[in-house]
PDB file of all heavy atoms in Angstrom:
ATOM      1  N   TYR B  41     101.804 103.456  83.792  1.00 97.00           N
ATOM      2  CA  TYR B  41     101.164 103.107  85.094  1.00 97.00           C
ATOM      3  C   TYR B  41     100.796 104.419  85.820  1.00 97.00           C
ATOM      4  O   TYR B  41     101.694 105.318  85.894  1.00 97.00           O
ATOM      5  CB  TYR B  41     101.954 102.285  85.911  1.00 97.00           C
ATOM      6  CG  TYR B  41     102.293 100.829  85.297  1.00 97.00           C
ATOM      7  CD1 TYR B  41     103.390 100.552  84.820  1.00 97.00           C
ATOM      8  CD2 TYR B  41     101.214 100.013  85.196  1.00 97.00           C
ATOM      9  CE1 TYR B  41     103.631  99.344  84.122  1.00 97.00           C
ATOM     10  CE2 TYR B  41     101.342  98.834  84.532  1.00 97.00           C
ATOM     11  CZ  TYR B  41     102.611  98.468  84.080  1.00 97.00           C
ATOM     12  OH  TYR B  41     102.801  97.201  83.435  1.00 97.00           O
ATOM     13  N   LYS B  42      99.571 104.508  86.250  1.00 96.00           N
ATOM     14  CA  LYS B  42      99.151 105.685  87.117  1.00 96.00           C
ATOM     15  C   LYS B  42      99.667 105.451  88.430  1.00 96.00           C
ATOM     16  O   LYS B  42      99.143 104.487  89.222  1.00 96.00           O
ATOM     17  CB  LYS B  42      97.715 105.897  87.078  1.00 96.00           C
ATOM     18  CG  LYS B  42      97.230 106.709  85.862  1.00 96.00           C
ATOM     19  CD  LYS B  42      95.846 106.966  85.973  1.00 96.00           C
ATOM     20  CE  LYS B  42      95.281 107.495  84.704  1.00 96.00           C
ATOM     21  NZ  LYS B  42      93.833 107.394  84.549  1.00 96.00           N
ATOM     22  N   VAL B  43     100.476 106.353  89.035  1.00 96.00           N
ATOM     23  CA  VAL B  43     100.912 106.143  90.412  1.00 96.00           C
ATOM     24  C   VAL B  43     100.011 106.926  91.320  1.00 96.00           C
ATOM     25  O   VAL B  43      99.626 108.076  90.949  1.00 96.00           O
ATOM     26  CB  VAL B  43     102.444 106.713  90.422  1.00 96.00           C
ATOM     27  CG1 VAL B  43     102.727 107.061  91.914  1.00 96.00           C
ATOM     28  CG2 VAL B  43     103.393 105.578  89.917  1.00 96.00           C
ATOM     29  N   VAL B  44      99.662 106.331  92.404  1.00 97.00           N
ATOM     30  CA  VAL B  44      98.859 107.008  93.485  1.00 97.00           C
ATOM     31  C   VAL B  44      99.764 107.299  94.612  1.00 97.00           C
ATOM     32  O   VAL B  44     100.231 106.388  95.270  1.00 97.00           O
ATOM     33  CB  VAL B  44      97.663 106.176  93.958  1.00 97.00           C
ATOM     34  CG1 VAL B  44      96.992 106.913  95.065  1.00 97.00           C
ATOM     35  CG2 VAL B  44      96.695 105.849  92.757  1.00 97.00           C
ATOM     36  N   PRO B  45     100.208 108.490  94.727  1.00 97.00           N
ATOM     37  CA  PRO B  45     101.349 108.771  95.747  1.00 97.00           C
ATOM     38  C   PRO B  45     100.822 108.602  97.148  1.00 97.00           C
ATOM     39  O   PRO B  45      99.578 108.728  97.315  1.00 97.00           O
ATOM     40  CB  PRO B  45     101.724 110.149  95.570  1.00 97.00           C
ATOM     41  CG  PRO B  45     101.011 110.608  94.267  1.00 97.00           C
ATOM     42  CD  PRO B  45      99.763 109.705  94.049  1.00 97.00           C
ATOM     43  N   LEU B  46     101.584 108.164  98.051  1.00 98.00           N
ATOM     44  CA  LEU B  46     101.283 108.034  99.533  1.00 98.00           C
ATOM     45  C   LEU B  46     101.840 108.887 100.412  1.00 98.00           C
ATOM     46  O   LEU B  46     103.004 109.359 100.075  1.00 98.00           O
ATOM     47  CB  LEU B  46     101.424 106.569  99.927  1.00 98.00           C
ATOM     48  CG  LEU B  46     100.673 105.464  99.272  1.00 98.00           C
ATOM     49  CD1 LEU B  46     101.225 104.027  99.797  1.00 98.00           C
ATOM     50  CD2 LEU B  46      99.186 105.561  99.470  1.00 98.00           C
ATOM     51  N   ASP B  47     101.149 109.296 101.520  1.00 98.00           N
ATOM     52  CA  ASP B  47     101.823 110.079 102.414  1.00 98.00           C
ATOM     53  C   ASP B  47     102.274 109.330 103.760  1.00 98.00           C
ATOM     54  O   ASP B  47     101.772 109.570 104.771  1.00 98.00           O
ATOM     55  CB  ASP B  47     100.774 111.278 102.761  1.00 98.00           C
ATOM     56  CG  ASP B  47     101.359 112.302 103.852  1.00 98.00           C
ATOM     57  OD1 ASP B  47     102.545 112.343 103.868  1.00 98.00           O
ATOM     58  OD2 ASP B  47     100.540 112.994 104.323  1.00 98.00           O
ATOM     59  N   VAL B  48     103.240 108.441 103.445  1.00 98.00           N
ATOM     60  CA  VAL B  48     103.727 107.584 104.605  1.00 98.00           C
ATOM     61  C   VAL B  48     104.979 106.902 104.095  1.00 98.00           C
ATOM     62  O   VAL B  48     105.130 106.472 102.941  1.00 98.00           O
ATOM     63  CB  VAL B  48     102.568 106.579 104.992  1.00 98.00           C
ATOM     64  CG1 VAL B  48     102.361 105.460 103.811  1.00 98.00           C
ATOM     65  CG2 VAL B  48     102.950 105.847 106.331  1.00 98.00           C
ATOM     66  N   ASP B  49     105.991 106.762 105.008  1.00 98.00           N
ATOM     67  CA  ASP B  49     107.191 106.054 104.699  1.00 98.00           C
ATOM     68  C   ASP B  49     106.968 104.509 104.998  1.00 98.00           C
ATOM     69  O   ASP B  49     106.468 104.282 106.130  1.00 98.00           O
ATOM     70  CB  ASP B  49     108.271 106.628 105.489  1.00 98.00           C
ATOM     71  CG  ASP B  49     109.648 105.955 105.219  1.00 98.00           C
ATOM     72  OD1 ASP B  49     109.794 105.422 104.073  1.00 98.00           O
ATOM     73  OD2 ASP B  49     110.566 105.857 106.060  1.00 98.00           O
ATOM     74  N   VAL B  50     107.234 103.685 104.024  1.00 98.00           N
ATOM     75  CA  VAL B  50     107.068 102.265 104.355  1.00 98.00           C
ATOM     76  C   VAL B  50     108.341 101.602 104.761  1.00 98.00           C
ATOM     77  O   VAL B  50     109.331 101.663 104.045  1.00 98.00           O
ATOM     78  CB  VAL B  50     106.659 101.567 103.042  1.00 98.00           C
ATOM     79  CG1 VAL B  50     106.317 100.095 103.311  1.00 98.00           C
ATOM     80  CG2 VAL B  50     105.297 102.239 102.603  1.00 98.00           C
ATOM     81  N   VAL B  51     108.358 101.074 105.941  1.00 98.00           N
ATOM     82  CA  VAL B  51     109.536 100.463 106.551  1.00 98.00           C
ATOM     83  C   VAL B  51     109.393  98.879 106.570  1.00 98.00           C
ATOM     84  O   VAL B  51     108.524  98.396 107.199  1.00 98.00           O
ATOM     85  CB  VAL B  51     109.910 100.970 108.040  1.00 98.00           C
ATOM     86  CG1 VAL B  51     111.081 100.416 108.608  1.00 98.00           C
ATOM     87  CG2 VAL B  51     109.974 102.540 107.999  1.00 98.00           C
ATOM     88  N   ILE B  52     110.270  98.217 105.864  1.00 98.00           N
ATOM     89  CA  ILE B  52     110.120  96.839 105.824  1.00 98.00           C
ATOM     90  C   ILE B  52     110.941  96.136 107.061  1.00 98.00           C
ATOM     91  O   ILE B  52     112.059  96.529 107.357  1.00 98.00           O
ATOM     92  CB  ILE B  52     110.695  96.208 104.589  1.00 98.00           C
ATOM     93  CG1 ILE B  52     109.765  96.670 103.429  1.00 98.00           C
ATOM     94  CG2 ILE B  52     110.782  94.571 104.671  1.00 98.00           C
ATOM     95  CD1 ILE B  52     110.126  96.219 101.946  1.00 98.00           C
ATOM     96  N   ASP B  53     110.175  95.387 107.854  1.00 98.00           N
ATOM     97  CA  ASP B  53     110.781  94.533 108.810  1.00 98.00           C
ATOM     98  C   ASP B  53     110.678  93.003 108.390  1.00 98.00           C
ATOM     99  O   ASP B  53     109.606  92.377 108.477  1.00 98.00           O
ATOM    100  CB  ASP B  53     110.007  94.611 110.217  1.00 98.00           C
ATOM    101  CG  ASP B  53     110.582  93.667 111.121  1.00 98.00           C
ATOM    102  OD1 ASP B  53     111.511  92.957 110.849  1.00 98.00           O
ATOM    103  OD2 ASP B  53     109.935  93.587 112.216  1.00 98.00           O
ATOM    104  N   ASP B  54     111.803  92.588 107.660  1.00 98.00           N
ATOM    105  CA  ASP B  54     111.776  91.300 107.044  1.00 98.00           C
ATOM    106  C   ASP B  54     111.943  90.240 108.117  1.00 98.00           C
ATOM    107  O   ASP B  54     112.848  90.314 108.964  1.00 98.00           O
ATOM    108  CB  ASP B  54     112.888  91.215 105.979  1.00 98.00           C
ATOM    109  CG  ASP B  54     112.801  89.844 105.342  1.00 98.00           C
ATOM    110  OD1 ASP B  54     113.379  88.868 105.923  1.00 98.00           O
ATOM    111  OD2 ASP B  54     112.224  89.707 104.239  1.00 98.00           O
ATOM    112  N   THR B  55     111.091  89.238 108.180  1.00 98.00           N
ATOM    113  CA  THR B  55     111.137  88.226 109.184  1.00 98.00           C
ATOM    114  C   THR B  55     111.414  86.772 108.621  1.00 98.00           C
ATOM    115  O   THR B  55     111.020  85.778 109.086  1.00 98.00           O
ATOM    116  CB  THR B  55     109.802  88.290 109.977  1.00 98.00           C
ATOM    117  OG1 THR B  55     109.925  87.332 110.982  1.00 98.00           O
ATOM    118  CG2 THR B  55     108.560  88.102 109.318  1.00 98.00           C
ATOM    119  N   THR B  56     112.100  86.762 107.385  1.00 98.00           N
ATOM    120  CA  THR B  56     112.393  85.503 106.777  1.00 98.00           C
ATOM    121  C   THR B  56     113.225  84.702 107.751  1.00 98.00           C
ATOM    122  O   THR B  56     112.993  83.445 107.828  1.00 98.00           O
ATOM    123  CB  THR B  56     113.326  85.773 105.438  1.00 98.00           C
ATOM    124  OG1 THR B  56     112.619  86.734 104.731  1.00 98.00           O
ATOM    125  CG2 THR B  56     113.518  84.470 104.734  1.00 98.00           C
ATOM    126  N   LEU B  57     114.009  85.365 108.614  1.00 98.00           N
ATOM    127  CA  LEU B  57     114.971  84.605 109.420  1.00 98.00           C
ATOM    128  C   LEU B  57     114.373  84.326 110.776  1.00 98.00           C
ATOM    129  O   LEU B  57     115.057  83.849 111.645  1.00 98.00           O
ATOM    130  CB  LEU B  57     116.307  85.283 109.515  1.00 98.00           C
ATOM    131  CG  LEU B  57     117.126  85.429 108.152  1.00 98.00           C
ATOM    132  CD1 LEU B  57     118.295  86.310 108.315  1.00 98.00           C
ATOM    133  CD2 LEU B  57     117.585  84.087 107.845  1.00 98.00           C
ATOM    134  N   ARG B  58     113.111  84.595 110.944  1.00 97.00           N
ATOM    135  CA  ARG B  58     112.353  84.192 112.142  1.00 97.00           C
ATOM    136  C   ARG B  58     111.111  83.430 111.728  1.00 97.00           C
ATOM    137  O   ARG B  58     111.124  82.284 111.701  1.00 97.00           O
ATOM    138  CB  ARG B  58     111.893  85.403 113.039  1.00 97.00           C
ATOM    139  CG  ARG B  58     111.448  85.108 114.382  1.00 97.00           C
ATOM    140  CD  ARG B  58     110.154  84.674 114.539  1.00 97.00           C
ATOM    141  NE  ARG B  58     109.088  85.777 114.138  1.00 97.00           N
ATOM    142  CZ  ARG B  58     107.776  85.407 114.058  1.00 97.00           C
ATOM    143  NH1 ARG B  58     107.284  84.251 114.401  1.00 97.00           N
ATOM    144  NH2 ARG B  58     106.960  86.320 113.700  1.00 97.00           N
ATOM    145  N   GLU B  59     110.043  84.138 111.155  1.00 96.00           N
ATOM    146  CA  GLU B  59     108.910  83.537 110.751  1.00 96.00           C
ATOM    147  C   GLU B  59     109.230  82.484 109.627  1.00 96.00           C
ATOM    148  O   GLU B  59     108.759  81.378 109.610  1.00 96.00           O
ATOM    149  CB  GLU B  59     107.883  84.611 110.156  1.00 96.00           C
ATOM    150  CG  GLU B  59     106.717  83.954 109.485  1.00 96.00           C
ATOM    151  CD  GLU B  59     105.516  83.514 110.286  1.00 96.00           C
ATOM    152  OE1 GLU B  59     105.246  84.215 111.264  1.00 96.00           O
ATOM    153  OE2 GLU B  59     105.167  82.497 110.183  1.00 96.00           O
ATOM    154  N   GLY B  60     109.999  82.940 108.697  1.00 97.00           N
ATOM    155  CA  GLY B  60     110.259  82.071 107.391  1.00 97.00           C
ATOM    156  C   GLY B  60     110.856  80.796 107.776  1.00 97.00           C
ATOM    157  O   GLY B  60     110.402  79.764 107.411  1.00 97.00           O
TER     158      GLY B  60
END
Side-chain angles (χ1 to χ4, degrees):
Chain B
Y41 298 108
K42 272 189 196 159
V43 158
V44 176
L46 296 177
D47 183 17
V48 68
D49 182 27
V50 180
V51 178
I52 293 179
D53 175 5
D54 182 278
T55 183
T56 310
L57 296 168
R58 198 277 299 172
E59 169 81 49

